[in-house]
Each structure stands twice: as C-alpha cells, then as structure tokens.
Amino acid sequence: MTSPAAYPARPDGETVFTVPASTIKYGPGALSELGDDARRLGMTRIALFTDDHVVETAPMRTALDALIAAGLDVVVFDAVRVEPTDESFTEAAAFAKEGKFDGYISLGGGSVIDTAKIANLLATYPDDLLAYVNAPMGQAKPVPGPIMPHIACPTTCGTGSETTGVAVFDLVRAQVKTGISSVHLRPGLALVDPVTTESLPAGVIAATGFDVLTHAIESFTARPYRTREKPALGARPPYQGANPFSDIGAEAAIRIGGKYLVDAVLDRDNMEARHQLMFAATLAGQAFGNAGVHIPHAMSYSVAGLNHQYIAKGYEKANPMVPHGLSVVINAPAAFRFTGPAGPQRHLQAAAALGADISNAAPADGGELLAQRLAEMMRATGLPSGLAEIGYREADIPALVKGSYAQKRLLAQAPCPVSEDDLAGIYRAAMKYW
C-alpha cells in the first residue's frame, strides 16, 4: 500500500457546485404536525412505511393520530426489513403498486426510509429493481422524473437518509450491498423529531451515531469539487465532492458528534445528547448528500453483505447482521490513516472538531490523530475492536476487496485514487485496533 497522492487541481475543471436539499422541520413535537404537512403536500391516500419494532411505539401512535385527525386515508406497511434486501424492496414495491397511493410517509431508521423511496419509485415508474441500481451491479437507468411526495420521519440519529437521494440494500445473490441514487428519490420533507430517539437502546445509538460521524468526516475529507473535470450541461453528478456548502454541515456534525456521542451511548438519561445527535444526523445527511462519501462506506458494503451471522448490541431482536453504522465505522480509522497524506490539513481539522488535541501537531499528523480519536470513541462506547471481532479473517480479504472495489461511485469521492491493493491493506489494518 503506497502513500496516496491527492487529486491535482484542474485550472480548466469544475467551478460550479449545486445544493439540492430537502425541506427540514426539526424539533421536539414536530411529529404531531405530520397530518397538516401531508395535506399541504396534496396527500390523500398514504402508504405509511415502518418496521415491526417502531409500529408498537409512541412515535407511531403520534404519527397515526396526526394523520387520522387530518382526515387522511392511511395504510400501514410494517414489514420493512432492517438492513433491506432486494427481496424486501420488491415486496414493498408490490404493496405500493397495489395500493395506488398518492403520498408516502416513512417512520423509522434508514432501512425504513430507503424502503419507502424504492417502493415509491417502482410504483411510479415500474421496472425491474436492478434497472435503476448503480453500475456495475445494475443498469444505472436514470429515474425518469419526480415520484410521489414523500415525508421522511427518522427515529434514529444516524443515516441521514431523510435528506438524501440514495437508497441502499443487500443484493443477496452477489453478497454485497449496492444502491440507487437520484435527486428524485430525495424526500420532499424531512420531519425530524428528536423525541423519537429517547427509547433507543444504547447499541443502536452507538451504531447510528458513528454512522453520522463517518458520513460527516468522509464528506469533509472528500476530493474537492474543483478537482473534477467540468461536466456537460445537465450531467453534474449528485456526489460533487467537498464544497463550501457541504463543509459547513459536515464540520458542525463532527463537532456535535465529538461532544455528545459517547455520553449519548453511556448515559441513558442524557436526552440532550440524543437530541443533539439527531440534529447532527440531519446536518451530516445534507452534507454527504451533496459532497458524497468515500472509502469507509465503499468498504462497508462488503463487510455487511458477507456477514449474516453477527448479532450486534441493540439489534438482538433483528435478524443476525452487521448494522450499517458499525459496518462503516469499523473500517474508518484505517481508512483515514490511509487518506490522511492526501489531505493533511482537512484531516487535522476533522480531528480537532472530533475532540483530538492538536496543539502540538503538524498537518501531516492529521490522519493519524483522526484515526486515534475515532478508535478511542469506538472503544469507549463498547464497539468491536476491529473486523476480527465480528468474524473476519485474513482469508476473507480478497472477497471483501472484490465487493468494495465495485463501489466506483463512492471510491471516486476519495481524496486520492484507491487501488485493490490499497483496499486490501486498509482491510488488513482494520482487523484489530486495540
């Protein structure tokens, strides 16, 4: 694994970035306004997506009461799979097609929100799921146009899916995660009520909270948008690289996570910490939905796709799997050590925002300090010490590399080119941190 070189500036390259964004409504009690929001978006017959855990909770009762009080026709789909698969997406789409809905609401974590996005897409523009999936796993057919209105109501402080045009799933036969990306998948309204996090198990807070941090750090350390070739009119990609807009949300999310994440996991009664993480998740979602994520997320797809035996803390009632946030952060310290030389000042800024002491540091120390601080927080919150602790061995590295190297859309956002040998080295370094 060689020391990476950053992408060079392009004097004749990209000079423009765009800021597509969802409308955000944030604050305790926001969920009680759901009925009014749905009516304002023209919804009359609504598909309400959730999972079998959320369906029995107080936030579900609040959402249903608000929709019924607004006189809306609501049909609940509570069979969303945590960490969805191609099969579970197809089942949700069949429900959506049959229901002839004019509005979609998702209440749950990223799995629920992503499932609602794809059900909406396939009911509006019927096709095979793989037709829309990112290449090389699918045909990368563009979404033809707007889909039905979607209000996303997250109940976990993690994925940021309420503000992005991305939906991720496990393509079971290929043993890898992949996804669909389009500006048309972005929910029209992100209704973010932090009260929904108050009953979450500590393990779920840890996994989803570290997802927030890695989203934000990857966005902040992504290749700068001005290193890209200038695109043809209308062909600017959804993931544009780090830019002045994404930097604001990303750095703020890193600071909030660095201050509150450990307390949110360890202190069950610290509601302020949980509420702050929920806000950080939305900030990070806006940032990475604009700039993109890179190596840790690309690596996570095979970490989750190849392991269906692990039972994570907080997810004991779900099917055995590696939760998305854990599959991402478990690669992150090793990945940021690798990318550090390609953007030393950026990595040093991220380390400082996360709470590392940089008083005597040089920019060249940024990647190492960022990795150390992240691993310190992982250890403090009881996360596994590396890939070996969740069941991976040296012999698994070729398969892990194969799955991650296929994620070209994500790897292209890294601050430097990434080879298969580089990925193998990063996986090897992520086997054990302490």
Side-chain angles (χ1 to χ4, degrees):
M1 188 167 61
T2 59
S3 183
Y7 285 104
R10 302 179 66 108
D12 60 343
E14 179 67 283
T15 59
V16 175
F17 64 90
T18 60
V19 186
S22 302
T23 297
I24 296 171
K25 175 182 282 191
Y26 174 89
L31 196 57
S32 65
E33 300 180 9
L34 179 59
D36 181 64
D37 292 324
R39 281 195 310 181
R40 289 177 185 275
L41 287 174
M43 298 183 185
T44 59
R45 179 168 167 78
I46 295 168
L48 174 54
F49 283 78
T50 191
D51 61 41
D52 59 0
H53 304 296
V54 177
V55 75
E56 301 294 338
T57 65
M60 182 66 176
R61 291 192 294 274
T62 299
L64 274 177
D65 287 348
L67 293 168
I68 292 169
L72 300 170
D73 180 15
V74 184
V75 182
V76 175
F77 181 88
D78 62 3
V80 170
R81 179 188 170 102
V82 177
E83 303 299 330
T85 66
D86 49 338
E87 181 180 355
S88 72
F89 271 1
T90 301
E91 290 172 356
F95 161 82
K97 291 174 186 175
E98 183 179 341
K100 301 186 185 307
F101 302 105
D102 60 14
Y104 290 74
I105 293 172
S106 50
L107 179 69
S111 297
V112 172
I113 298 170
D114 285 2
T115 298
K117 290 175 182 177
I118 299 309
N120 190 353
L121 167 63
L122 294 179
T124 307
Y125 303 109
D127 208 329
D128 182 76
L129 173 65
L130 289 180
Y132 295 111
V133 168
N134 302 317
M137 298 298 175
Q139 301 165 34
K141 174 182 174 180
V143 174
I147 56 180
M148 293 294 178
H150 176 192
I151 301 175
C153 310
T155 60
T156 61
C157 41
T159 69
S161 183
E162 68 273 11
T163 63
T164 76
V166 179
V168 175
F169 68 98
D170 189 351
L171 185 58
V172 175
R173 63 180 177 273
Q175 292 189 300
V176 70
K177 281 187 177 288
T178 186
I180 299 174
S181 177
S182 170
V183 294
H184 297 301
L185 295 185
R186 191 186 304 270
L189 173 63
L191 196 158
V192 186
D193 189 333
V195 173
T196 61
T197 68
E198 293 181 359
S199 62
L200 291 176
V204 175
I205 293 289
T208 57
F210 277 108
D211 195 19
V212 172
L213 280 185
T214 50
H215 281 154
I217 298 170
E218 288 172 72
S219 174
F220 194 70
T221 60
R223 64 182 297 182
Y225 77 105
R226 298 197 71 159
T227 66
R228 295 187 173 281
E229 182 179 357
K230 192 172 185 66
L233 288 176
R236 188 164 287 114
Y239 282 178
Q240 302 165 80
N243 61 74
F245 172 82
S246 66
D247 288 348
I248 294 169
E251 189 169 14
I254 297 167
R255 289 189 186 281
I256 293 170
K259 181 176 180 179
Y260 289 103
L261 175 53
V262 174
D263 286 345
V265 175
L266 299 183
D267 183 355
R268 178 66 185 78
D269 297 322
N270 191 335
M271 293 302 123
E272 179 190 5
R274 292 185 173 213
H275 287 206
Q276 288 286 340
L277 279 184
M278 192 66 143
F279 186 55
T282 300
L283 288 172
Q286 289 277 34
F288 92 80
N290 177 257
V293 290
H294 55 84
I295 296 174
H297 270 76
M299 294 175 69
S300 78
Y301 283 14
S302 51
V303 169
L306 291 169
N307 187 331
H308 297 284
Q309 291 80 45
Y310 184 73
I311 300 175
K313 293 178 182 178
Y315 294 85
E316 291 85 357
K317 295 181 180 179
N319 294 318
M321 48 88 187
V322 183
H324 174 66
L326 175 57
S327 74
V328 171
V329 76
I330 206 163
N331 308 300
F336 295 134
R337 279 194 177 100
F338 170 77
T339 56
Q345 187 60 45
R346 277 294 172 122
H347 286 70
L348 190 64
Q349 281 182 256
L354 199 56
D357 180 4
I358 67 165
S359 55
N360 297 312
D365 301 324
E368 180 61 33
L369 289 173
L370 178 57
Q372 288 178 7
R373 173 60 178 154
L374 201 51
E376 174 188 292
M377 293 176 66
M378 292 166 63
R379 189 172 188 177
T381 52
L383 262 61
S385 60
L387 290 169
E389 190 172 331
I390 66 172
Y392 285 106
R393 300 292 181 266
E394 176 78 20
D396 298 314
I397 289 178
L400 289 167
V401 169
K402 180 181 178 181
S404 59
Y405 196 63
Q407 310 304 322
K408 306 293 189 184
R409 181 178 61 90
L410 305 185
L411 293 176
Q413 315 312 317
C416 54
V418 187
S419 70
E420 291 180 272
D421 286 345
D422 292 331
L423 288 170
I426 299 169
Y427 278 122
R428 195 168 288 114
M431 283 291 171
K432 189 173 179 62
Y433 294 118
W434 61 83

